[in-house]
Amino acid sequence: MLDIIIWIAIVVLFILSFVGILFPIIPSVLVLWVGFLLYHFVLNANELTTSFWVIMGVFTVILFVADIIANSYFVKKFGGSKWGERGAAVAVIVGSFITPPFGIIYVPFIVVFLIEMTQKRTSQEAFRASIGSLIGFLGGAVAKVVVQLIMIIWFFVIVLF
């Protein structure tokens, strides 16, 4: 019976990790790791090998870097300033509290637009940088979904086969 409860908890944690993509206040990677650790320390301490943990560590780094790089890259690529890049990163977090989950889309867009306007950009340049913020967020979210799916599938392949 305990095994079933632990498996349900692991699956719920994995699902919650995807919720964290839309609500950045939920640390997706940490939630995934709690699922892995729960399995390791409660169900089977011998099945997840050192190579599993190392590879999950690498994927964890990729998840952190993907989000930061995607946002910065696209704001910069679309003509945004360093202040626009920084503002977009903060606005994603703030937006998740304002009107979740949509705040993480429109708050950075507005913030980048306003920052770029204060940087003496034209409204067209500011709008373009704001579009970069939107594309950066969406690109980072897609990358996170893919990497998290790989991590979860790898976990299930190891423990079920």
Side-chain angles (χ1 to χ4, degrees), residues 1-117:
M1 181 66 175
L2 178 63
D3 287 3
I4 293 170
I5 293 170
I6 297 301
W7 272 111
I8 291 170
I10 290 169
V11 169
V12 167
L13 287 165
F14 289 170
I15 292 168
L16 190 59
S17 75
F18 290 105
V19 173
I21 293 170
L22 293 177
F23 297 94
I25 193 67
I26 299 171
S28 296
V29 176
L30 180 61
V31 173
L32 273 178
W33 275 83
V34 170
F36 298 153
L37 293 170
L38 191 59
Y39 177 83
H40 181 75
F41 288 110
V42 178
L43 294 179
N44 189 338
N46 299 320
E47 202 154 11
L48 300 177
T49 63
T50 302
S51 62
F52 171 83
W53 294 111
V54 169
I55 291 168
M56 291 303 122
V58 169
F59 280 133
T60 299
V61 170
I62 291 169
L63 283 172
F64 284 124
V65 172
D67 216 15
I68 296 165
I69 289 178
N71 205 358
S72 293
Y73 172 78
F74 282 105
V75 169
K76 184 187 297 183
K77 180 176 170 97
F78 281 72
S81 65
K82 282 286 184 197
W83 283 105
E85 292 177 46
R86 294 178 188 130
V90 172
V92 166
I93 296 167
V94 172
S96 70
F97 290 107
I98 293 177
T99 51
F102 304 108
I104 59 177
I105 296 172
Y106 75 83
V107 172
F109 185 89
I110 293 168
V111 166
V112 169
F113 183 83
L114 294 174
I115 288 172
E116 295 303 326
M117 290 300 290

Side-chain angles (χ1 to χ4, degrees), residues 111-151:
V111 166
V112 169
F113 183 83
L114 294 174
I115 288 172
E116 295 303 326
M117 290 300 290
T118 64
Q119 300 289 314
K120 308 291 187 221
R121 308 278 178 143
T122 66
S123 57
Q124 186 176 11
E125 290 170 329
F127 181 76
R128 184 170 159 80
S130 294
I131 294 293
S133 163
L134 179 62
I135 292 171
F137 167 74
L138 294 174
V142 168
K144 286 170 80 171
V145 166
V146 169
V147 173
Q148 285 181 205
L149 275 173
I150 291 169
M151 292 171 78

Side-chain angles (χ1 to χ4, degrees), residues 14 36 146-159 161:
F14 289 170
F36 298 153
V146 169
V147 173
Q148 285 181 205
L149 275 173
I150 291 169
M151 292 171 78
I152 292 168
I153 290 168
W154 190 311
F155 169 80
F156 280 116
V157 165
I158 288 174
V159 301
F161 298 106

